[in-house]
Amino acid sequence: MKNIPESLLQSCIKVANEAPSDLKSNISRAWAAFDKDRLNCLLVDKGSGPDGGTAPDQVNAFKGCLFGLCFFHSVMLGRIKYGQQGWSRKYSFNVGDLTICGDVLEAYLRKSKTVVPWQDLRYVFGEIMYGGHIT
């Protein structure tokens, strides 16, 4: 059947499959983008690193920062329903933006073994990665 009659299409029920836009759903969807291996990516096998492994504190810091990043990403996604109010243009943030930020977070935490560079991360994520899309 190549052609469907227009009258039949007009009388049918239309279903749209859109992701929910509430904060809880956005956080769940953002957090689901990272599997267990990714959450424990800073763990090093015993003996393979110079210090014999990464401290659990750094892994916990990574998980905490990543959750904060997922929350921030979810707020940015929820912001779309208000249109361009307060922004000069509309940009639809996607999972790619979030995973790139997760890569940057991992690189920063690998570099600084003892302290979480909060000011650097806040600037990179807020002003460059997400803020750079909104001019």
Side-chain angles (χ1 to χ4, degrees), residues 10-69:
Q10 290 175 349
S11 65
C12 292
I13 297 174
K14 286 98 179 162
V15 177
N17 186 10
E18 291 183 10
S21 63
D22 62 306
L23 187 63
K24 184 177 178 181
S25 299
N26 284 337
I27 290 175
S28 297
R29 195 171 42 255
W31 187 254
F34 301 98
D35 60 355
K36 189 174 183 175
D37 293 336
R38 176 67 181 178
L39 294 175
N40 295 320
C41 65
L42 292 177
L43 287 176
V44 179
D45 294 333
K46 296 286 183 194
S48 65
D51 57 352
T54 304
D57 293 342
Q58 193 175 13
V59 174
N60 289 337
F62 176 71
K63 289 179 183 179
C65 290
L66 191 62
F67 182 78
L69 192 58

Side-chain angles (χ1 to χ4, degrees), residues 114-131:
T114 57
V115 143
V116 177
W118 294 112
Q119 295 299 323
D120 293 347
L121 291 173
R122 191 169 123 193
Y123 181 77
V124 168
F125 297 146
E127 299 294 328
I128 297 172
M129 302 298 278
Y130 281 90

Side-chain angles (χ1 to χ4, degrees), residues 11 15 90 103 117 134:
S11 65
V15 177
K90 188 176 178 182
D103 294 342
I134 301 155

Side-chain angles (χ1 to χ4, degrees), residues 26 29 72-81 93-94:
N26 284 337
R29 195 171 42 255
F72 181 68
H73 181 78
S74 300
V75 169
M76 291 293 107
L77 288 179
R79 179 71 176 84
I80 289 176
K81 64 183 168 186
F93 296 103
N94 55 29

